[in-house]
Amino acid sequence: MSGLLALLDDVAAIAKVAAASVDDIAAAAGKAGSKAAGIIIDDAAVTPKYVAGIPAARELPMIWRIALGSIRNKLVFLLPALMLLNYFFPIAITVLLLMGGAYLCFEGAEKVVHWVMPHQTDAAAAHEAKDPERLEEERVAGAIKTDFILSAEIMTISLAQIPEFPVWMEIIALAVVALAVTAVVYGAVALIVKMDDAGVYIAAHGRLAATRSFGRMLVKGMPVVMTALSIIGTLAMLWVGGSIITHSLHQLGWHLPYEAIESFAAGYSATGSFLRWLIVAALDGVIGLVLGLLLIPVVEKLLKPLFGSKAH
């Protein structure tokens, strides 16, 4: 009996350790995923364009195929590559973060420039005359390629935020982030894409006048939702991009931008942590915008001619 009690005690101790490990992994995954919020919002705002002009019956199957491609990007390609780099060449993670931060700053600044100086694109028109099946295949392939870039940024940012755990815990935490982010992004995309269809159905078949009115409101409100997502995503990209740049430079030994922001924000710490966070985020966003504006001519005049029109 004493041996059995001792065994049960050992099992209970192991269970406690396992539960603590699960809590640690969940906490690390949550922290890591929150740092990638800007890219996640942008991903959710960008993806619906790939199903524009596609028959309604094919929208959800397309989103499902893109989501599976996103999971493959994250778990099959990016997770092993990042873990190997982190183990054998950790400085590469900081370099990748700098590159990802610069990319976010460029993308955010480019969107701001497009808001200020809007121009029409004929990308959608170029697809109009194509066979529907071929168009769907091209859209899915294009979405998965774009997802690979965004997923690389999400996974790199997330890995940098995970504390120094045993390797197996880091792998699980990063996998949890990958699956959770994919579910959130493409679940939101599915809702966004089908929201107007749901509104049309409710407006046409609702029994009550209030219900039909709600359906019409959904249809009319979707452009506002998409615009709001685009604005929030752009601001978040500039904030996250600027934050990545200042923190990465701080880690590499150039402390001026990071310390200047922290010193300025320290004067507002007594008024509340949210205000301090808001000031830091705004200053990071300004840095991101300035850097992005500086990168636009570099990309347009150097990288695009050098690597082709799809350099970014």
Side-chain angles (χ1 to χ4, degrees):
M1 180 61 70
S2 62
L4 178 59
L5 291 175
L7 176 60
L8 291 176
D9 188 56
D10 291 340
V11 169
I14 294 172
K16 289 179 181 179
V17 172
S21 298
V22 171
D23 288 342
D24 291 340
I25 290 171
K31 178 183 177 183
S34 65
K35 277 293 183 179
I39 314 169
I40 293 170
I41 295 172
D42 184 66
D43 202 357
V46 166
T47 305
K49 73 177 184 181
Y50 289 100
V51 298
I54 298 294
R58 295 301 307 162
E59 289 175 344
L60 291 182
M62 276 187 66
I63 293 170
W64 175 247
R65 292 176 62 191
I66 297 169
L68 291 179
S70 177
I71 292 174
R72 184 172 63 249
N73 285 340
K74 293 180 178 75
L75 297 185
V76 177
F77 301 115
L78 293 170
L79 193 153
L82 289 174
M83 292 306 301
L84 288 172
L85 283 175
N86 192 46
Y87 187 79
F88 292 104
F89 193 41
I91 190 65
I93 300 299
T94 302
V95 174
L96 287 174
L97 282 172
L98 279 170
M99 294 172 62
Y103 174 83
L104 289 176
C105 294
F106 165 74
E107 284 287 316
E110 191 178 46
K111 289 184 179 182
V112 171
V113 171
H114 288 175
W115 291 342
V116 177
M117 297 180 293
H119 65 275
Q120 293 182 346
T121 176
D122 57 357
H127 291 293
E128 290 299 326
K130 292 187 178 179
D131 176 74
E133 291 185 6
R134 182 182 174 191
L135 176 58
E136 179 176 329
E137 292 299 323
E138 290 184 359
R139 294 279 186 89
V140 170
I144 292 174
K145 289 178 182 177
T146 301
D147 175 271
F148 187 89
I149 297 173
L150 297 173
S151 292
E153 295 168 4
I154 290 170
M155 297 288 279
T156 304
I157 294 170
S158 299
L159 179 60
Q161 296 302 316
I162 295 175
E164 290 193 11
F165 287 152
V167 173
W168 68 269
M169 289 181 66
E170 292 182 353
I171 292 173
I172 294 176
L174 203 55
V176 169
V177 171
L179 294 173
V181 165
T182 304
V184 168
V185 168
Y186 291 100
V189 168
L191 287 174
I192 291 169
V193 166
K194 285 300 180 183
M195 193 70 73
D196 54 350
D197 291 341
V200 170
Y201 181 86
I202 294 172
H205 299 89
R207 293 185 177 182
L208 302 176
T211 306
R212 295 192 294 273
S213 177
F214 175 72
R216 290 191 293 271
M217 184 184 68
L218 283 179
V219 176
K220 294 179 181 178
M222 283 313 298
V224 177
V225 171
M226 294 305 298
T227 300
L229 272 177
S230 178
I231 293 173
I232 294 171
T234 299
L235 294 177
M237 287 174 75
L238 293 172
W239 156 53
V240 174
S243 177
I244 291 171
I245 294 296
T246 56
H247 281 78
S248 298
L249 292 176
H250 180 62
Q251 291 179 353
L252 291 175
W254 190 36
H255 309 296
L256 179 60
Y258 177 83
E259 291 181 350
I261 291 175
E262 290 296 318
S263 176
F264 182 83
Y268 296 87
S269 59
T271 59
S273 58
F274 176 76
L275 179 60
R276 185 181 183 281
W277 173 87
L278 191 63
I279 291 171
V280 171
L283 292 176
D284 284 334
V286 170
I287 290 176
L289 178 60
V290 172
L291 177 59
L293 292 174
L294 293 175
L295 286 173
I296 288 177
V298 175
V299 172
E300 295 292 336
K301 303 297 183 182
L302 180 62
L303 296 183
K304 281 189 178 181
L306 190 62
F307 296 103
S309 60
K310 295 183 180 180
H312 70 289

